[in-house]
Coordinates of all heavy atoms in Angstrom, one line a residue:
M1 N 0.8 -1.2 0.0 CA 0.0 0.0 0.0 C 0.9 1.2 0.0 O 1.8 1.4 0.8 CB -0.9 0.0 1.2 CG -1.7 1.2 1.4 SD -2.6 1.2 2.9 CE -4.2 0.7 2.3
H2 N 0.7 2.1 -0.9 CA 1.4 3.3 -1.0 C 0.7 4.5 -0.4 O -0.5 4.6 -0.5 CB 1.7 3.7 -2.5 CG 2.6 2.7 -3.1 ND1 3.9 2.5 -2.8 CD2 2.4 1.7 -4.1 CE1 4.5 1.6 -3.5 NE2 3.5 1.0 -4.3
S3 N 1.4 5.3 0.3 CA 0.8 6.5 0.8 C 0.6 7.5 -0.3 O 1.4 7.6 -1.3 CB 1.8 7.2 1.9 OG 2.0 6.3 2.9
P4 N -0.4 8.4 -0.2 CA -0.7 9.4 -1.2 C 0.4 10.4 -1.3 O 0.6 11.0 -2.3 CB -2.0 10.0 -0.8 CG -2.2 9.7 0.6 CD -1.4 8.4 0.9
H5 N 1.2 10.6 -0.2 CA 2.3 11.5 -0.2 C 3.5 10.8 0.2 O 3.5 10.0 1.2 CB 2.0 12.7 0.8 CG 2.9 13.8 0.6 ND1 4.1 13.9 1.1 CD2 2.7 15.0 0.0 CE1 4.7 15.0 0.8 NE2 3.8 15.7 0.2
P6 N 4.7 11.0 -0.4 CA 5.9 10.2 0.0 C 6.3 10.4 1.4 O 7.0 9.6 1.9 CB 6.9 10.7 -1.1 CG 6.4 12.0 -1.6 CD 4.9 11.9 -1.5
H7 N 6.0 11.5 2.0 CA 6.4 11.8 3.4 C 5.2 11.8 4.4 O 5.2 12.4 5.4 CB 7.1 13.2 3.4 CG 8.2 13.3 2.4 ND1 9.3 12.5 2.5 CD2 8.3 14.1 1.4 CE1 10.1 12.9 1.5 NE2 9.5 13.8 0.8
A8 N 4.2 11.0 4.1 CA 3.0 10.9 4.9 C 3.3 10.5 6.3 O 2.7 11.1 7.2 CB 2.0 10.0 4.3
D9 N 4.2 9.6 6.6 CA 4.5 9.2 7.9 C 5.1 10.4 8.7 O 4.8 10.6 9.9 CB 5.5 8.0 7.9 CG 4.8 6.7 7.5 OD1 3.6 6.6 7.5 OD2 5.6 5.8 7.1
L10 N 6.1 11.1 8.1 CA 6.7 12.2 8.8 C 5.7 13.3 9.0 O 5.7 13.9 10.1 CB 7.9 12.7 7.9 CG 8.8 13.8 8.6 CD1 9.3 13.3 9.9 CD2 9.9 14.1 7.6
I11 N 4.8 13.5 8.1 CA 3.8 14.6 8.3 C 2.8 14.2 9.4 O 2.5 15.0 10.3 CB 3.0 14.8 7.0 CG1 3.9 15.4 5.9 CG2 1.7 15.6 7.2 CD1 3.3 15.4 4.5
A12 N 2.5 12.9 9.5 CA 1.6 12.4 10.6 C 2.3 12.6 11.9 O 1.7 13.0 12.9 CB 1.2 11.0 10.4
T13 N 3.6 12.3 12.0 CA 4.4 12.4 13.2 C 4.4 13.9 13.6 O 4.3 14.2 14.8 CB 5.8 11.9 13.0 OG1 5.7 10.5 12.6 CG2 6.6 12.0 14.3
F14 N 4.6 14.8 12.6 CA 4.6 16.2 12.9 C 3.3 16.7 13.5 O 3.2 17.4 14.4 CB 4.9 17.0 11.6 CG 4.7 18.5 11.8 CD1 5.6 19.3 12.5 CD2 3.5 19.1 11.3 CE1 5.4 20.6 12.7 CE2 3.3 20.5 11.5 CZ 4.2 21.2 12.2
R15 N 2.2 16.2 12.9 CA 0.8 16.6 13.4 C 0.6 16.1 14.8 O 0.0 16.9 15.6 CB -0.3 16.0 12.5 CG -0.2 16.5 11.0 CD -0.8 17.9 10.9 NE -0.8 18.3 9.5 CZ -0.6 19.5 9.1 NH1 -0.2 20.4 9.9 NH2 -0.6 19.7 7.8
R16 N 1.1 14.9 15.1 CA 1.0 14.4 16.5 C 1.8 15.3 17.4 O 1.4 15.6 18.5 CB 1.4 13.0 16.6 CG 0.3 12.0 16.1 CD 0.6 10.6 16.4 NE 1.9 10.1 15.9 CZ 2.1 9.6 14.6 NH1 1.1 9.5 13.8 NH2 3.3 9.2 14.3
A17 N 3.0 15.6 17.0 CA 3.9 16.5 17.8 C 3.3 17.9 18.0 O 3.4 18.5 19.1 CB 5.3 16.5 17.2
E18 N 2.7 18.4 17.0 CA 2.0 19.7 17.0 C 0.9 19.7 18.1 O 0.8 20.6 18.9 CB 1.5 20.0 15.7 CG 1.0 21.4 15.5 CD 0.6 21.7 14.0 OE1 0.0 20.8 13.4 OE2 1.0 22.8 13.6
A19 N 0.1 18.6 18.1 CA -1.0 18.5 19.0 C -0.5 18.3 20.4 O -1.0 18.9 21.4 CB -1.9 17.3 18.6
E20 N 0.6 17.5 20.6 CA 1.2 17.3 21.9 C 1.7 18.6 22.5 O 1.5 18.9 23.6 CB 2.3 16.3 21.8 CG 3.0 16.0 23.1 CD 4.2 15.2 23.0 OE1 4.7 14.9 21.9 OE2 4.7 14.7 24.1
A21 N 2.4 19.4 21.6 CA 3.0 20.7 22.1 C 1.8 21.6 22.6 O 2.0 22.3 23.6 CB 3.8 21.3 21.0
A22 N 0.7 21.6 21.8 CA -0.4 22.5 22.2 C -1.0 22.0 23.5 O -1.3 22.8 24.4 CB -1.4 22.5 21.1
H23 N -1.1 20.7 23.7 CA -1.6 20.1 24.9 C -0.7 20.4 26.1 O -1.2 20.8 27.2 CB -1.8 18.6 24.8 CG -2.2 17.9 26.0 ND1 -3.5 18.1 26.6 CD2 -1.5 17.1 26.9 CE1 -3.6 17.3 27.7 NE2 -2.4 16.8 27.9
K24 N 0.6 20.2 25.9 CA 1.5 20.5 27.0 C 1.5 22.0 27.4 O 1.7 22.3 28.6 CB 2.9 20.0 26.6 CG 3.1 18.6 26.3 CD 3.0 17.7 27.5 CE 3.3 16.3 27.0 NZ 3.2 15.3 28.1
H25 N 1.4 22.8 26.4 CA 1.3 24.3 26.7 C 0.1 24.6 27.6 O 0.1 25.4 28.5 CB 1.3 25.1 25.4 CG 1.4 26.5 25.7 ND1 2.5 27.2 26.1 CD2 0.4 27.5 25.5 CE1 2.3 28.5 26.3 NE2 1.0 28.7 25.9
G26 N -1.0 23.9 27.3 CA -2.2 24.1 28.0 C -2.1 23.6 29.5 O -2.8 24.1 30.4
L27 N -1.2 22.6 29.7 CA -1.0 22.1 31.1 C -0.4 23.1 32.0 O -0.5 23.0 33.2 CB -0.2 20.8 31.0 CG -0.9 19.6 30.4 CD1 0.1 18.4 30.4 CD2 -2.2 19.2 31.2
I28 N 0.3 24.1 31.4 CA 0.9 25.1 32.2 C -0.1 25.9 33.0 O 0.0 26.1 34.2 CB 1.8 26.1 31.4 CG1 3.0 25.3 30.7 CG2 2.3 27.2 32.2 CD1 3.7 26.1 29.7
K29 N -1.3 26.2 32.4 CA -2.4 26.8 33.0 C -2.9 26.0 34.2 O -3.2 26.5 35.3 CB -3.5 27.1 32.1 CG -3.2 28.1 31.0 CD -3.5 29.5 31.5 CE -3.4 30.5 30.4 NZ -3.2 31.8 30.8
A30 N -3.0 24.7 34.0 CA -3.5 23.8 35.0 C -2.5 23.7 36.2 O -3.0 23.5 37.4 CB -3.8 22.4 34.5
A31 N -1.3 23.9 35.9 CA -0.2 23.7 37.0 C -0.1 25.0 37.8 O 0.5 25.0 38.9 CB 1.1 23.4 36.3
E32 N -0.7 26.1 37.4 CA -0.7 27.4 38.1 C -1.2 27.2 39.6 O -0.7 27.8 40.5 CB -1.4 28.5 37.4 CG -0.8 29.0 36.2 CD -1.6 30.0 35.5 OE1 -2.8 30.2 35.8 OE2 -1.0 30.6 34.5
K33 N -2.2 26.4 39.8 CA -2.8 26.2 41.1 C -1.9 25.3 42.0 O -2.1 25.3 43.2 CB -4.1 25.5 40.9 CG -5.1 26.3 40.1 CD -6.4 25.5 39.9 CE -7.3 26.3 39.0 NZ -8.5 25.6 38.5
K34 N -0.9 24.6 41.4 CA -0.1 23.7 42.2 C 1.2 24.3 42.6 O 2.0 23.6 43.4 CB 0.1 22.4 41.4 CG -1.2 21.7 41.1 CD -0.9 20.4 40.3 CE -2.2 19.7 40.0 NZ -2.1 18.5 39.4
G35 N 1.5 25.5 42.2 CA 2.8 26.1 42.7 C 3.8 26.2 41.7 O 3.7 25.7 40.6
P36 N 4.9 26.9 42.1 CA 6.0 27.3 41.1 C 6.8 26.0 40.6 O 7.2 26.0 39.4 CB 6.9 28.2 41.9 CG 6.5 28.0 43.3 CD 5.1 27.5 43.4
K37 N 6.9 25.0 41.4 CA 7.7 23.8 40.9 C 6.8 23.1 39.8 O 7.4 22.6 38.8 CB 8.0 22.9 42.0 CG 9.1 23.3 43.0 CD 9.4 22.3 44.0 CE 10.5 22.8 44.9 NZ 10.9 21.8 45.9
A38 N 5.5 23.0 40.0 CA 4.7 22.4 39.0 C 4.7 23.2 37.7 O 4.7 22.7 36.6 CB 3.3 22.2 39.6
I39 N 4.6 24.5 37.9 CA 4.6 25.4 36.7 C 5.9 25.2 35.9 O 5.9 25.1 34.7 CB 4.4 26.9 37.1 CG1 3.1 27.1 37.7 CG2 4.7 27.8 36.0 CD1 2.9 28.5 38.4
Q40 N 7.0 25.2 36.7 CA 8.3 25.0 36.0 C 8.4 23.6 35.3 O 8.9 23.6 34.1 CB 9.5 25.1 37.0 CG 10.9 25.1 36.3 CD 11.0 26.3 35.3 OE1 10.7 27.4 35.6 NE2 11.5 25.9 34.1
A41 N 7.9 22.6 35.9 CA 8.0 21.3 35.3 C 7.1 21.2 34.1 O 7.5 20.7 33.0 CB 7.5 20.2 36.3
A42 N 5.9 21.9 34.1 CA 5.0 21.9 33.0 C 5.6 22.7 31.8 O 5.5 22.4 30.7 CB 3.7 22.5 33.4
A43 N 6.3 23.8 32.2 CA 6.9 24.7 31.2 C 8.1 24.0 30.5 O 8.3 24.1 29.3 CB 7.4 26.0 31.8
D44 N 8.9 23.2 31.3 CA 10.0 22.4 30.7 C 9.5 21.4 29.8 O 10.0 21.2 28.7 CB 10.8 21.8 31.8 CG 11.6 22.8 32.7 OD1 11.7 24.0 32.2 OD2 12.0 22.4 33.8
T45 N 8.4 20.7 30.2 CA 7.8 19.7 29.3 C 7.2 20.3 28.0 O 7.4 19.7 26.9 CB 6.7 18.9 30.1 OG1 7.3 18.4 31.3 CG2 6.1 17.8 29.3
A46 N 6.6 21.4 28.2 CA 6.0 22.1 27.0 C 7.2 22.5 26.0 O 7.0 22.4 24.8 CB 5.2 23.3 27.4
A47 N 8.3 23.0 26.6 CA 9.4 23.4 25.8 C 10.0 22.3 25.0 O 10.3 22.4 23.8 CB 10.5 24.1 26.6
K48 N 10.1 21.1 25.7 CA 10.6 19.9 25.0 C 9.7 19.5 23.8 O 10.2 19.1 22.8 CB 10.8 18.8 26.0 CG 11.9 19.0 26.9 CD 12.0 17.8 27.9 CE 13.1 18.1 29.0 NZ 13.1 17.1 30.0
A49 N 8.4 19.5 24.1 CA 7.4 19.1 23.0 C 7.5 20.1 21.9 O 7.4 19.7 20.7 CB 6.0 19.1 23.6
A50 N 7.6 21.4 22.2 CA 7.8 22.4 21.1 C 9.0 22.2 20.3 O 9.1 22.4 19.1 CB 7.7 23.8 21.7
K51 N 10.1 21.8 21.0 CA 11.4 21.6 20.3 C 11.3 20.4 19.4 O 11.8 20.4 18.2 CB 12.5 21.3 21.4 CG 13.9 21.2 20.8 CD 14.9 21.1 21.9 CE 16.3 21.0 21.3 NZ 17.3 20.9 22.4
R52 N 10.6 19.3 19.8 CA 10.4 18.2 18.9 C 9.5 18.6 17.7 O 9.9 18.2 16.6 CB 9.6 17.0 19.7 CG 10.5 16.2 20.6 CD 9.8 15.0 21.1 NE 8.6 15.3 21.9 CZ 8.6 15.5 23.2 NH1 9.8 15.5 23.9 NH2 7.5 15.8 23.9
R53 N 8.5 19.3 17.9 CA 7.6 19.8 16.8 C 8.4 20.6 15.9 O 8.3 20.4 14.6 CB 6.5 20.7 17.4 CG 5.6 21.3 16.4 CD 4.8 22.5 16.9 NE 5.8 23.5 17.3 CZ 5.5 24.4 18.3 NH1 4.4 24.3 18.9 NH2 6.4 25.3 18.6
D54 N 9.2 21.5 16.4 CA 10.0 22.4 15.5 C 11.1 21.6 14.7 O 11.4 21.9 13.5 CB 10.7 23.5 16.3 CG 9.7 24.5 16.9 OD1 8.5 24.5 16.5 OD2 10.1 25.2 17.9
A55 N 11.7 20.6 15.3 CA 12.6 19.8 14.6 C 12.0 19.0 13.5 O 12.6 18.9 12.4 CB 13.3 18.8 15.6
L56 N 10.8 18.5 13.7 CA 10.1 17.8 12.6 C 9.7 18.8 11.5 O 9.8 18.4 10.4 CB 8.8 17.1 13.2 CG 9.1 15.9 14.0 CD1 7.9 15.4 14.8 CD2 9.6 14.7 13.2
A57 N 9.3 20.0 11.9 CA 8.9 21.0 10.9 C 10.1 21.3 10.0 O 10.0 21.5 8.8 CB 8.4 22.2 11.6
K58 N 11.3 21.4 10.7 CA 12.5 21.7 9.9 C 12.9 20.6 9.0 O 13.3 20.8 7.8 CB 13.7 21.9 10.9 CG 14.9 22.4 10.3 CD 16.0 22.7 11.4 CE 17.3 23.2 10.8 NZ 18.3 23.5 11.8
K59 N 12.7 19.3 9.4 CA 12.9 18.2 8.5 C 12.0 18.2 7.3 O 12.4 18.0 6.2 CB 12.7 16.9 9.3 CG 13.8 16.5 10.2 CD 13.5 15.2 10.9 CE 14.6 14.8 11.9 NZ 14.3 13.5 12.5
L60 N 10.7 18.5 7.6 CA 9.8 18.6 6.5 C 10.1 19.7 5.5 O 10.0 19.6 4.3 CB 8.4 18.7 7.0 CG 7.8 17.5 7.6 CD1 6.5 17.8 8.4 CD2 7.5 16.4 6.6
A61 N 10.5 20.9 6.1 CA 10.9 22.0 5.2 C 12.1 21.7 4.4 O 12.2 22.0 3.2 CB 11.2 23.2 6.1
A62 N 13.0 20.9 4.9 CA 14.2 20.5 4.2 C 13.8 19.6 3.0 O 14.5 19.5 2.0 CB 15.2 19.8 5.1
L63 N 12.8 18.8 3.2 CA 12.3 17.9 2.1 C 11.4 18.7 1.1 O 10.9 18.1 0.2 CB 11.5 16.8 2.8 CG 12.3 15.8 3.6 CD1 11.4 14.8 4.4 CD2 13.3 15.0 2.7
G64 N 11.1 19.9 1.4 CA 10.3 20.7 0.5 C 8.8 20.6 0.7 O 8.0 20.9 -0.1
V65 N 8.4 20.1 1.9 CA 7.0 19.9 2.2 C 6.6 21.2 2.9 O 7.1 21.5 4.0 CB 6.8 18.7 3.1 CG1 5.4 18.5 3.5 CG2 7.3 17.4 2.5
A66 N 5.6 21.8 2.4 CA 5.0 23.0 3.0 C 3.7 22.6 3.7 O 2.8 22.0 3.2 CB 4.6 24.0 1.9
L67 N 3.7 23.0 5.0 CA 2.6 22.7 5.9 C 1.8 24.0 6.1 O 2.4 25.0 6.4 CB 3.1 22.2 7.2 CG 3.8 20.8 7.1 CD1 4.4 20.5 8.5 CD2 2.9 19.7 6.7
S68 N 0.5 23.9 5.9 CA -0.3 25.0 6.2 C -0.9 25.0 7.6 O -1.2 23.9 8.1 CB -1.4 25.1 5.1 OG -2.3 23.9 5.2
G69 N -1.1 26.1 8.2 CA -1.8 26.3 9.4 C -1.3 25.7 10.6 O -1.7 25.6 11.6

């Protein structure tokens, strides 16, 4: 079975990383009630997720794949 796009797996991985980064960023708000250590842990986790997302976006850009939105 062939994918409709040659980089479909990488695009799907990027989409999952994008959703994860958005979710982790939202967890920072939830951690506000738990104190500064929880906020810092949530912020660190969100930063790592954003870094993974950005790395995948860079790989896709290098392959010439333009992602919208």
Side-chain angles (χ1 to χ4, degrees):
M1 175 185 259
H2 293 290
S3 299
H5 194 282
H7 306 296
D9 290 339
L10 189 56
I11 292 169
T13 302
F14 170 77
R15 296 285 185 217
R16 284 190 301 274
E18 189 175 43
E20 179 189 12
H23 174 73
K24 300 288 184 179
H25 185 71
L27 291 177
I28 295 171
K29 292 270 188 201
E32 288 177 350
K33 299 174 186 171
K34 297 182 180 184
K37 286 185 180 181
I39 294 169
Q40 186 59 49
D44 292 345
T45 302
K48 288 177 187 176
K51 188 174 179 179
R52 281 191 297 274
R53 176 202 61 210
D54 294 344
L56 287 167
K58 188 175 179 179
K59 285 181 183 179
L60 286 167
L63 294 170
V65 178
L67 298 170
S68 60

